[in-house]
Amino acid sequence: AQSVAQPEDQVNVAEGNPLTVKCTYSVSGNPYLFWYVQYPNRGLQFLLKYITGDNLVKGSYGFEAEFNKSQTSFHLKKPSALVSDSALYFCAVRVSTDSWGKLQFGAGTQVVVTP
Amino acid sequence: EAGVAQSPRYKIIEKRQSVAFWCNPISGHATLYWYQQILGQGPKLLIQFQNNGVVDDSQLPKDRFSAERLKGVDSTLKIQPAKLEDSAVYLCASSGRRTSGTETQYFGPGTRLLVL
């Protein structure tokens, strides 16, 4: 069975500081990994995904994520956080061997960026 | 390009009543998903359609939930009768033609359901 864990319920960071949101996964096969962001009363917005190739993936709004196979992690990063980055972030995983495979989401990490 | 549309945005009902949610996916998207997002949790897939056929409904409580996508475009999710634990946000998502699971899912704004 596939699963994804986001070990931090909330991350607090000052504006201008680096932001990291952690994600680890467990799958029996090659993972496809996704990050989404959710603003209040809005649906999920796609940020980036890792399918194959370069372990560093660049996405929307200055975010990037690094795939680490040995540590089964896919942490989301932004070099300089903005107050507008305050939102709920979800990591999700799908197994490559199952083309109908459902997207398994983590519980989410609330990011709070203070001015 | 228009995004995924959902209606209504909010719904309050009493337990044992019925409710229906509507979703119109991004034009041309063959795959449609319904998710349930309970407060404090990540979205959980309820049902996945490929065109007008169901490919995964393993987590759909079939005694009370039903969904259809008759013409392979828009979809309706129904709950009858509703229970208190059905209070959640119901998200619809769509993605392009199936490849090998690499496609991105695009989400609508969701319907927030409160069952009293």
Side-chain angles (χ1 to χ4, degrees):
Chain A
Q2 61 196 52
S3 65
V4 61
Q6 295 181 242
E8 299 158 318
D9 291 335
Q10 183 164 315
V11 170
N12 298 296
V13 63
E15 188 173 32
N17 282 359
L19 170 63
T20 298
V21 186
K22 296 179 180 178
C23 172
T24 59
Y25 64 90
S26 174
V27 300
S28 52
N30 291 323
Y32 297 149
L33 294 153
F34 300 77
W35 275 103
Y36 285 84
V37 61
Q38 186 174 36
Y39 296 98
N41 299 316
R42 302 274 295 275
L44 276 68
Q45 294 180 29
F46 170 72
L47 285 177
L48 50 80
K49 66 183 177 182
Y50 171 81
I51 304 301
T52 187
D54 194 347
N55 289 342
L56 186 63
V57 179
K58 294 188 182 297
S60 306
Y61 313 120
F63 284 95
E64 59 187 29
E66 186 169 10
F67 172 65
N68 188 317
K69 188 172 184 178
S70 62
Q71 296 186 7
T72 62
S73 67
F74 189 56
H75 301 331
L76 181 71
K77 299 180 181 181
K78 187 171 184 179
S80 179
L82 301 172
V83 173
S84 57
D85 293 328
S86 298
L88 188 56
Y89 290 78
F90 290 97
C91 181
V93 66
R94 174 187 279 160
V95 179
S96 63
T97 51
D98 183 358
S99 57
W100 294 123
K102 62 174 63 74
L103 206 55
Q104 184 74 42
F105 283 87
T109 298
Q110 183 70 47
V111 170
V112 178
V113 182
T114 51
Chain B
E1 177 182 80
V4 177
Q6 290 189 247
S7 68
R9 293 296 310 277
Y10 305 93
K11 191 75 177 178
I12 301 174
I13 62 172
E14 307 239 332
K15 61 183 179 182
R16 291 188 290 273
Q17 285 187 325
S18 62
V19 64
F21 312 129
W22 174 82
C23 171
N24 192 36
I26 293 172
S27 178
H29 278 191
T31 311
L32 186 147
Y33 315 78
W34 282 103
Y35 288 87
Q36 180 191 58
Q37 185 180 15
I38 293 173
L39 187 65
Q41 299 180 19
K44 181 185 79 172
L45 181 70
L46 292 175
I47 189 166
Q48 177 180 343
F49 292 93
Q50 177 72 13
N51 296 309
N52 60 349
V54 175
V55 296
D56 188 344
D57 62 357
S58 57
Q59 298 189 97
L60 186 74
K62 299 181 186 63
D63 57 333
R64 298 184 300 107
F65 286 64
S66 64
E68 61 183 13
R69 193 185 184 200
L70 293 176
K71 297 183 179 179
V73 181
D74 56 349
S75 175
T76 302
L77 176 69
K78 297 179 181 178
I79 308 175
Q80 183 179 9
K83 291 185 175 182
L84 298 178
E85 59 261 35
D86 297 331
S87 294
V89 176
Y90 291 85
L91 295 164
C92 179
S94 70
S95 63
R97 64 180 176 86
R98 179 175 66 87
T99 55
S100 56
T102 63
E103 65 278 8
T104 298
Q105 295 181 26
Y106 296 94
F107 285 78
T111 296
R112 186 174 298 273
L113 173 68
L114 179 60
V115 182
L116 301 176

